[in-house]
Amino acid sequence: MTPAVATSSETRAIELGATFRTSRTGLVTGIRFYKGPLNTGLHYGSLWNSAGTRLARVAFANETASGWQTAVLSPPVRLTEATDYVVSYNAPVGRYSFTTAFYTQAWSSGYLTAPATRNGLYRFGSGTAVPNRTDNSTNYFVDVVFSPAA
């Protein structure tokens, strides 16, 4: 899946995220985001619990000019089923990718579900706090790499 808009016109630093839950206990082994060609600078991914506490932070390295970027978490983070989490990344110069009106219904893939309500999160700034605002159910194309428990 690719975004409808590869590069936004926004140039302020912004933390972009999505709320999700898992139907099975497992591990987040990485964080991914879709990068448009003008989304430059050092990017960091974060995993947060529903109370807004950061569980992990990782720097993206060896990024390509555009497309999906992945950073590996070391150590992986264990998730509990039926619990809400937020995954996010910081775009230090804006220029992020997006699709508006994406979360008009819940979206599921494997054991993960992103709810339609209050999803597509953002917060202007350097990424020191969990994103907590929404706008038009927008998907900012950030997600986790998840491995269910055996």
Side-chain angles (χ1 to χ4, degrees):
M1 179 179 0
T2 58
V5 177
T7 304
S8 76
S9 60
E10 178 62 59
T11 58
R12 293 179 286 174
I14 189 169
E15 187 81 8
L16 303 156
T19 300
F20 71 97
R21 67 176 33 206
T22 176
S23 61
R24 187 162 177 193
T25 298
L27 297 174
V28 171
T29 59
I31 296 176
R32 302 174 354 122
F33 79 97
Y34 191 91
K35 177 182 175 181
L38 299 178
N39 186 347
T40 60
L42 182 57
H43 298 97
Y44 288 92
S46 295
L47 183 65
W48 313 81
N49 68 17
S50 60
T53 301
R54 190 185 331 249
L55 304 174
R57 186 170 192 231
V58 64
F60 286 85
N62 303 314
E63 293 184 21
T64 59
S66 64
W68 283 100
Q69 313 297 312
T70 302
V72 175
L73 291 179
S74 183
V77 177
R78 184 173 181 82
L79 300 187
T80 303
E81 66 183 81
T83 302
D84 288 341
Y85 297 93
V86 172
V87 59
S88 67
Y89 87 98
N90 188 263
V93 297
R95 303 296 197 175
Y96 51 87
S97 302
F98 67 95
T99 298
T100 57
F102 181 88
Y103 292 111
T104 57
Q105 59 187 5
W107 188 85
S108 294
S109 178
Y111 298 104
L112 304 178
T113 298
T117 321
R118 285 224 14 98
N119 216 342
L121 304 170
Y122 72 94
R123 179 190 291 254
F124 287 105
S126 63
T128 57
V130 65
N132 61 356
R133 300 181 71 188
T134 63
D135 182 43
N136 200 22
S137 302
T138 300
N139 182 352
Y140 298 108
F141 290 82
V142 55
D143 67 10
V144 294
V145 179
F146 179 76
S147 177

